[in-house]
Amino acid sequence: MADNNNPFSNLEEKFNAMQKKKKPQKEKTPVDYKKYTKPFIGIFITFVVIIIALANIYVVKEGEFRVVRQFGEIKDIKNTPGLHMKIPFIQSVTTIPKHQMNYKLSEAEINTKDKRRIIIDNYAVWRVVNAKEMISNAGNLINAGSRMEEFIYSVVRSELGQLEYSEIINDENSSRGSLNDQITTHVNELLKKDKYGIEVIDVRIKRTDLPEENEQSVYNEMISERQSIAQKFLSTGDADKRRIEADTDRQVKEMLATAKKDAAMIAAEGDAEAAKIYNQSFSKDPEFYSLYRTLESYKRTIGEDSMIIIPSDSPYAKILSGYLE
């Protein structure tokens, strides 16, 4: 019986009644995971194989060498574009550019033939032509560039050491134009001899400077040299001017003398021909000739203000009066 004094007596009875009403639970069947293990492992292995295969495919592009190494040793060198595959975990692939590259050389100080110190600034255009030789003898691009720089510096120092300072800085001497080609040829001969697998396309001297302590003295010498050359040109010009003027004066005198001689000969021939014509003409009519000569004498003796007194029976008077017989 429930105790009227206990407030929880009814709750306990209700809880017991609810427990009796609950249905018994069914037992769950255990899952068999073994039948999923093999497919899962197969899918996983396939996925791993695909990842490994994709990771070991490499592409050879235009303008590059792909070097395949196996345990550090060169196994193959690919230089034709396409897809290739390396052995996973054993082989590795590195890239070497095949296109032309610029190399900025360090500034260097050299001595010219006339014992002048100058600072030169060069650059080179180069490329890798044999990747295997480059790797075997230089190791990498950095070492190959360093070896090339040493050769260039050696050749430049040798070539410029055979030239005067004025020959290097004066463009009109045309020494710089052929000097770059000579340096390029000599450097390539040295690189080929030592089998570095690289080729220099061009070597150019960008700039030649003087050490600060020598600049002013060289500038003064250059100014003096230019002034000497200018004075030489002026002296040569004056001498040529005097020679040309003397030659021109001589030619003018010779031409004038020849012209006068020719004119005198032509005038003499003309006078002789005129006298011949006159003689032939006047011999046909002596009286007309006498009249003509008389009229010609009037032109010479009678002017506008002339006054003459002549006898009435003189030839002049007869002609003036119109009597011609």
Side-chain angles (χ1 to χ4, degrees):
M1 283 182 71
D3 189 0
N4 293 331
N5 294 326
N6 186 1
F8 297 103
S9 60
N10 293 332
L11 291 177
E12 184 178 355
E13 292 177 357
K14 291 179 180 180
F15 179 77
N16 294 330
M18 289 177 63
Q19 290 293 329
K20 293 178 180 179
K21 291 181 180 180
K22 283 185 178 181
K23 297 180 179 180
Q25 295 181 354
K26 297 182 179 180
E27 295 183 0
K28 294 182 179 181
T29 304
V31 179
D32 186 9
Y33 291 103
K34 293 183 179 180
K35 64 179 180 179
Y36 299 107
T37 303
K38 291 183 179 180
F40 177 78
I41 294 174
I43 294 172
F44 178 77
I45 292 174
T46 303
F47 180 75
V48 171
V49 170
I50 293 173
I51 294 297
I52 294 174
L54 292 177
N56 288 275
I57 292 176
Y58 62 94
V59 180
V60 180
K61 300 178 182 179
E62 284 284 353
E64 67 179 12
F65 296 98
R66 298 302 293 266
V67 182
V68 181
R69 288 183 172 87
Q70 184 170 319
F71 302 113
E73 182 181 354
I74 297 176
K75 192 67 176 178
D76 192 10
I77 296 177
K78 305 291 186 181
N79 58 3
T80 55
L83 288 174
H84 302 274
M85 179 175 284
K86 64 183 180 66
I87 300 174
F89 310 112
I90 297 177
Q91 294 180 341
S92 60
V93 179
T94 57
T95 303
I96 296 177
K98 190 164 47 175
H99 56 75
Q100 295 182 3
M101 299 172 285
N102 290 329
Y103 190 92
K104 173 69 171 61
L105 281 79
S106 304
E107 293 185 356
E109 185 174 309
I110 65 171
N111 293 324
T112 62
K113 185 178 180 180
D114 52 350
K115 306 305 179 184
R116 294 288 179 83
R117 290 190 301 124
I118 61 173
I119 299 173
I120 58 172
D121 187 8
N122 301 4
Y123 75 91
V125 180
W126 66 299
R127 65 180 179 180
V128 178
V129 294
N130 191 319
K132 186 174 183 179
E133 289 184 354
M134 190 274 293
I135 296 172
S136 299
N137 296 297
N140 52 46
L141 287 176
I142 296 176
N143 293 337
S146 299
R147 294 299 299 155
M148 180 185 64
E149 181 175 6
E150 293 176 4
F151 286 140
I152 291 175
Y153 173 71
S154 176
V155 173
V156 168
R157 182 177 59 183
S158 175
E159 293 292 335
L160 296 186
Q162 301 175 16
L163 298 175
E164 301 282 345
Y165 178 73
S166 59
E167 293 178 315
I168 299 174
I169 63 173
N170 291 340
D171 294 334
E172 59 267 19
N173 290 335
S174 300
S175 296
R176 287 280 295 274
S178 60
L179 181 60
N180 292 321
D181 296 336
Q182 293 175 8
I183 293 172
T184 302
T185 301
H186 292 170
V187 171
N188 279 326
E189 290 175 354
L190 295 173
L191 291 172
K192 187 176 180 180
K193 179 181 177 182
D194 291 348
K195 296 182 179 181
Y196 279 103
I198 61 176
E199 178 187 18
V200 177
I201 307 300
D202 193 15
V203 176
R204 291 288 164 179
I205 299 177
K206 294 195 305 183
R207 183 171 53 93
T208 56
D209 288 334
L210 293 167
E212 294 182 359
E213 61 271 16
N214 294 345
E215 284 186 358
Q216 191 58 45
S217 61
V218 172
Y219 289 158
N220 293 335
E221 183 177 344
M222 291 171 62
I223 292 172
S224 176
E225 181 182 357
R226 291 298 185 273
Q227 290 176 346
S228 176
I229 294 173
Q231 186 61 42
K232 181 180 179 181
F233 286 153
L234 291 174
S235 301
T236 303
D238 289 339
D240 292 341
K241 175 186 175 184
R242 289 191 293 271
R243 179 180 56 78
I244 293 171
E245 288 178 346
D247 188 46
T248 303
D249 292 341
R250 179 183 58 79
Q251 293 180 7
V252 169
K253 289 180 181 179
E254 290 178 356
M255 292 172 64
L256 290 174
T258 302
K260 289 178 180 179
K261 178 182 177 182
D262 294 341
M265 292 178 64
I266 293 171
E269 292 176 357
D271 291 341
E273 187 67 22
K276 181 180 178 182
I277 294 172
Y278 283 143
N279 290 333
Q280 292 176 356
S281 300
F282 294 146
S283 63
K284 295 180 180 181
D285 192 348
E287 292 182 359
F288 175 75
Y289 177 69
S290 177
L291 176 61
Y292 175 77
R293 296 292 293 176
T294 301
L295 294 176
E296 287 294 320
S297 67
Y298 290 165
K299 293 180 181 180
R300 296 182 178 89
T301 57
I302 299 175
E304 295 180 358
D305 299 329
S306 299
M307 180 182 293
I308 60 173
I309 300 174
I310 55 176
S312 59
D313 57 349
S314 65
Y316 277 170
K318 291 179 179 180
I319 293 174
L320 292 175
S321 62
Y323 180 71
L324 301 176
E325 294 183 358

